Amino acid sequence: AGVMSAQSLLDDPTALAGDGRLDLSIHPEQCARSMLEYIELVEKYPTKMACIHMHMHQCMRDWLAEFTDLREELNLVPRKAKNDIPTACQLYREVVTQVEQRILKVKREEDRTYPIRAPSWREIERERLKRAAIEQQKDEEG
């Protein structure tokens, strides 16, 4: 049961709060705010970089699938911080703050509380090749 609840808490760190104000379907920015709180805890109680990084990805993964540039920034933190936890916390805080700001912008400007996954480079390339093949076929027929 512990493993099963642990995964749920990684998906939604506010799951056990019992407070409707933390409902991610209403307040999607709460995932980023939870990570800012997590960073404060890591500053008090340092842990391994890999654990911090995994928690960041797990808790914000749906929004990072939309904000792929911020996902890339997040992925650079361990290399930039060079295993220095205080530096990593500052870098993570900067990225998480940007995630929160973008979520709030999407919520405000698009009235949307859920992420829309951006296409991967493979999907983009597949679509480009498909269009090129269609154009080539048209040229050969016409």
Side-chain angles (χ1 to χ4, degrees), residues 8 12 27 32 35 41 48-49 64 77 84-85 96 99 101 110 131 135:
S8 297
D12 178 5
H27 303 287
M35 288 300 91
L41 290 171
K48 294 178 184 175
M49 184 76 70
L64 292 173
V77 169
D84 181 63
I85 299 301
V96 172
V99 170
Q101 290 169 352
E110 300 177 30
R131 282 194 305 269
E135 286 302 314

Short mmCIF file of all heavy atoms in Angstrom, two decimals, residues 8 12 27 32 35 41 48-49 64 77 84-85 96 99 101 110 131 135:
data_model
loop_
_atom_site.label_atom_id
_atom_site.label_comp_id
_atom_site.label_asym_id
_atom_site.label_seq_id
_atom_site.Cartn_x
_atom_site.Cartn_y
_atom_site.Cartn_z
N SER A 8 0.94 7.91 -6.09
CA SER A 8 -0.15 8.88 -6.17
C SER A 8 0.29 10.23 -5.62
O SER A 8 -0.08 11.28 -6.16
CB SER A 8 -1.36 8.38 -5.39
OG SER A 8 -1.86 7.21 -5.96
N ASP A 12 0.37 13.80 -7.47
CA ASP A 12 -0.35 14.94 -6.90
C ASP A 12 0.06 15.08 -5.44
O ASP A 12 -0.52 14.46 -4.55
CB ASP A 12 -1.86 14.74 -7.00
CG ASP A 12 -2.65 15.88 -6.37
OD1 ASP A 12 -2.03 16.88 -5.93
OD2 ASP A 12 -3.88 15.76 -6.31
N HIS A 27 -7.05 24.35 -9.61
CA HIS A 27 -5.84 25.15 -9.37
C HIS A 27 -4.61 24.40 -9.88
O HIS A 27 -3.82 23.88 -9.08
CB HIS A 27 -5.70 25.46 -7.88
CG HIS A 27 -6.86 26.17 -7.30
ND1 HIS A 27 -7.12 27.50 -7.57
CD2 HIS A 27 -7.87 25.75 -6.50
CE1 HIS A 27 -8.22 27.87 -6.95
NE2 HIS A 27 -8.71 26.82 -6.29
N ALA A 32 3.17 23.33 -9.23
CA ALA A 32 4.41 24.10 -9.17
C ALA A 32 4.62 24.66 -7.76
O ALA A 32 5.75 24.63 -7.24
CB ALA A 32 4.38 25.23 -10.19
N MET A 35 6.09 22.16 -5.57
CA MET A 35 7.51 21.95 -5.83
C MET A 35 8.35 23.07 -5.23
O MET A 35 9.48 22.84 -4.79
CB MET A 35 7.78 21.83 -7.34
CG MET A 35 7.28 20.52 -7.92
SD MET A 35 8.06 19.05 -7.19
CE MET A 35 6.94 18.65 -5.83
N LEU A 41 12.14 22.53 1.55
CA LEU A 41 12.47 21.38 2.40
C LEU A 41 13.84 20.81 2.06
O LEU A 41 14.61 20.44 2.95
CB LEU A 41 11.40 20.30 2.29
CG LEU A 41 10.05 20.64 2.92
CD1 LEU A 41 9.01 19.59 2.55
CD2 LEU A 41 10.19 20.77 4.43
N LYS A 48 19.79 13.60 -2.32
CA LYS A 48 20.53 13.37 -3.56
C LYS A 48 19.90 14.13 -4.72
O LYS A 48 18.68 14.25 -4.82
CB LYS A 48 20.54 11.87 -3.90
CG LYS A 48 21.30 11.04 -2.90
CD LYS A 48 21.24 9.58 -3.26
CE LYS A 48 21.93 8.75 -2.20
NZ LYS A 48 21.78 7.32 -2.46
N MET A 49 20.76 14.60 -5.61
CA MET A 49 20.31 15.35 -6.79
C MET A 49 19.33 14.52 -7.62
O MET A 49 18.33 15.06 -8.10
CB MET A 49 21.52 15.74 -7.64
CG MET A 49 21.19 16.60 -8.83
SD MET A 49 20.85 18.31 -8.40
CE MET A 49 22.47 18.84 -7.94
N LEU A 64 5.19 19.87 -18.09
CA LEU A 64 6.47 19.89 -18.79
C LEU A 64 6.34 19.31 -20.19
O LEU A 64 7.13 19.63 -21.08
CB LEU A 64 7.53 19.14 -17.99
CG LEU A 64 7.95 19.80 -16.67
CD1 LEU A 64 8.87 18.87 -15.89
CD2 LEU A 64 8.60 21.14 -16.91
N VAL A 77 19.66 21.44 -15.08
CA VAL A 77 19.99 21.83 -13.71
C VAL A 77 21.09 20.96 -13.10
O VAL A 77 22.07 21.50 -12.57
CB VAL A 77 18.74 21.87 -12.81
CG1 VAL A 77 19.11 22.00 -11.35
CG2 VAL A 77 17.83 23.01 -13.24
N ASP A 84 26.00 20.55 -6.49
CA ASP A 84 25.90 21.51 -5.39
C ASP A 84 24.41 21.76 -5.13
O ASP A 84 23.73 22.40 -5.94
CB ASP A 84 26.62 22.81 -5.75
CG ASP A 84 26.55 23.81 -4.62
OD1 ASP A 84 27.10 23.52 -3.54
OD2 ASP A 84 25.94 24.87 -4.82
N ILE A 85 23.90 21.24 -4.03
CA ILE A 85 22.46 21.29 -3.74
C ILE A 85 21.94 22.73 -3.63
O ILE A 85 20.90 23.04 -4.20
CB ILE A 85 22.11 20.45 -2.49
CG1 ILE A 85 22.49 18.98 -2.71
CG2 ILE A 85 20.64 20.58 -2.13
CD1 ILE A 85 21.80 18.31 -3.89
N VAL A 96 10.81 26.25 -11.84
CA VAL A 96 9.48 25.99 -11.30
C VAL A 96 8.64 27.26 -11.29
O VAL A 96 7.45 27.24 -11.60
CB VAL A 96 9.57 25.36 -9.89
CG1 VAL A 96 8.20 25.26 -9.25
CG2 VAL A 96 10.24 23.99 -9.96
N VAL A 99 7.34 27.71 -14.68
CA VAL A 99 6.24 26.77 -14.93
C VAL A 99 4.95 27.33 -14.32
O VAL A 99 3.90 27.37 -14.96
CB VAL A 99 6.55 25.36 -14.36
CG1 VAL A 99 5.31 24.47 -14.41
CG2 VAL A 99 7.71 24.72 -15.12
N GLN A 101 4.18 30.43 -13.61
CA GLN A 101 3.73 31.61 -14.35
C GLN A 101 3.04 31.22 -15.65
O GLN A 101 2.01 31.80 -16.02
CB GLN A 101 4.91 32.55 -14.62
CG GLN A 101 5.42 33.22 -13.38
CD GLN A 101 6.73 33.94 -13.60
OE1 GLN A 101 7.37 33.83 -14.64
NE2 GLN A 101 7.18 34.68 -12.58
N GLU A 110 -6.47 31.36 -21.70
CA GLU A 110 -7.16 30.32 -22.46
C GLU A 110 -8.27 29.64 -21.67
O GLU A 110 -8.95 28.76 -22.21
CB GLU A 110 -6.15 29.26 -22.93
CG GLU A 110 -5.06 29.81 -23.82
CD GLU A 110 -4.04 28.75 -24.20
OE1 GLU A 110 -4.42 27.56 -24.29
OE2 GLU A 110 -2.86 29.11 -24.41
N ARG A 131 4.13 14.57 -45.29
CA ARG A 131 3.76 15.66 -46.23
C ARG A 131 4.66 15.64 -47.46
O ARG A 131 4.19 15.85 -48.58
CB ARG A 131 3.84 17.01 -45.52
CG ARG A 131 2.65 17.29 -44.63
CD ARG A 131 2.57 18.75 -44.22
NE ARG A 131 3.78 19.24 -43.58
CZ ARG A 131 4.03 19.23 -42.29
NH1 ARG A 131 3.13 18.75 -41.46
NH2 ARG A 131 5.15 19.69 -41.80
N GLU A 135 3.47 15.17 -51.36
CA GLU A 135 3.84 16.13 -52.41
C GLU A 135 4.57 15.43 -53.56
O GLU A 135 4.32 15.71 -54.72
CB GLU A 135 4.72 17.24 -51.82
CG GLU A 135 3.98 18.24 -50.98
CD GLU A 135 2.86 18.92 -51.74
OE1 GLU A 135 3.07 19.36 -52.89
OE2 GLU A 135 1.75 19.04 -51.17
#
